[in-house]
Amino acid sequence: MKKVKVFGVWASPYSGRVEIALKWKGVEYEFVEEDLQNKSEELLKYNPIYKKIPVLVHNEKAVAESLIIMEYIDETWKADPIFPKDPYERAQARFWANFIDDNLMPSARTALLSTGEESEKAITELEQLFKVVENEIKEKKFFGGNNIGFLDIVALVVAFWIPCMQEFTAKNILTKEKYQLICIWSEKLLGCSIIKQNLPDKEKLREFYQTRFAH
Ligand SMILES: N[C@@H](CCC(=O)N[C@@H](CS)C(=O)NCC(=O)O)C(=O)O
């Protein structure tokens, strides 16, 4: 039995980022696919508070919450660090990761998955949030500077999942015309082999969203 297990859902950007961090480090792991409509006893045991994926189990000890799991991975397997060395830069990376998860993701979910006034309002909000991200990227190649790191992996949701969802829902919010720097960064990130090889299949993802979020 492998000593590292990830409880996740193949289509989830949260478990996706944990898998990419493990691949980045070359850590072998077993992926346990969860059915969120019928959560396993193990998931409930390992994450009794939130009952959510992803959960990383290392030597029978469980760590929940994707951002915390990524920190744990970086501290446990030290080669090829994903966090910046400098404490200030590390603090900034955590700040922007929380911004993405607490502000951008909920807003994108409502903008893309709801309809009518609720969606319109969320689209306006999301456009403002994209402007903030665009301003943060500026001339950097990646979020953390010249190399892909923690924040780029977290922000993959902007480079991959949101564009897929836009395509599936025919809502064109994140465009090259409006957010040139985000789109240039996205292309570079998606061109990186570890990232490219570990993203879900787009057609499979489309089917997943169609069945899961059909109105
Ligand atoms: N803040 C959590 C969010 C994870 C999350 O939202 N997971 C969803 C799937 S994408 C989940 O497990 N949902 C099940 C539920 O809410 O019951 C993290 O970063 O790990």
Side-chain angles (χ1 to χ4, degrees):
M1 197 184 78
K2 293 213 174 86
K3 62 179 187 172
V4 180
K5 274 190 187 181
V6 177
F7 289 78
V9 168
W10 67 271
S12 161
Y14 298 102
S15 40
R17 56 173 70 149
V18 167
E19 286 199 85
I20 286 174
L22 287 169
K23 293 258 161 78
W24 194 270
K25 299 275 184 177
V27 177
E28 275 197 48
Y29 63 93
E30 182 190 340
F31 186 79
V32 182
E33 178 74 22
E34 273 295 323
D35 173 2
L36 295 179
Q37 317 308 322
N38 183 21
K39 295 174 185 169
S40 70
E41 289 293 321
E42 275 182 304
L43 177 65
L44 302 177
K45 173 179 96 180
Y46 288 132
N47 190 1
I49 309 295
Y50 296 126
K51 305 176 177 66
K52 288 187 178 188
I53 58 95
V55 175
L56 178 97
V57 181
H58 181 207
N59 293 332
E60 275 310 304
K61 286 197 276 196
V63 185
E65 288 293 305
S66 62
L67 301 181
I68 296 172
I69 298 172
M70 288 174 80
E71 288 211 38
Y72 177 83
I73 292 171
D74 207 35
E75 287 173 7
T76 304
W77 294 278
K78 296 215 188 288
D80 301 317
I82 53 171
F83 270 81
K85 245 189 166 152
D86 177 72
Y88 180 74
E89 282 177 27
R90 266 209 306 276
Q92 288 303 300
R94 290 193 190 101
F95 173 88
W96 286 107
N98 286 341
F99 173 86
I100 288 170
D101 279 14
D102 299 344
N103 297 279
L104 208 138
M105 280 174 83
S107 177
R109 203 174 297 125
T110 313
L112 293 161
L113 296 176
S114 67
T115 50
E117 221 176 279
E118 193 185 5
S119 169
E120 294 296 317
K121 201 168 149 243
I123 289 175
T124 311
E125 193 182 287
L126 185 58
E127 285 176 332
Q128 292 306 317
L129 297 172
F130 280 146
K131 270 192 204 149
V132 175
V133 175
E134 177 89 354
N135 196 42
E136 180 54 24
I137 293 184
K138 293 199 200 95
E139 307 86 42
K140 288 178 209 157
K141 193 167 170 202
F142 294 109
F143 266 111
N146 267 335
N147 300 312
I148 292 177
F150 164 75
L151 190 53
D152 297 286
I153 302 173
V154 171
L156 246 182
V157 67
V158 176
F160 180 74
W161 273 268
I162 292 177
C164 284
M165 301 270 286
Q166 298 200 136
E167 203 183 306
F168 307 160
T169 57
K171 288 182 183 174
N172 227 8
I173 309 164
L174 179 60
T175 62
K176 262 200 173 114
E177 291 68 37
K178 281 193 187 157
Y179 309 102
Q180 201 194 9
L181 299 180
I182 296 183
C183 293
I184 293 173
W185 160 83
S186 297
E187 263 176 45
K188 283 193 197 128
L189 187 63
L190 298 180
C192 160
S193 57
I194 291 193
I195 305 275
K196 210 168 19 188
Q197 286 158 16
N198 289 292
L199 289 172
D201 177 78
K202 221 164 145 182
E203 274 319 300
K204 225 177 123 197
L205 197 61
R206 182 198 295 270
E207 284 165 25
F208 175 85
Y209 282 120
Q210 269 168 353
T211 34
R212 189 111 200 258
F213 300 107
H215 289 290

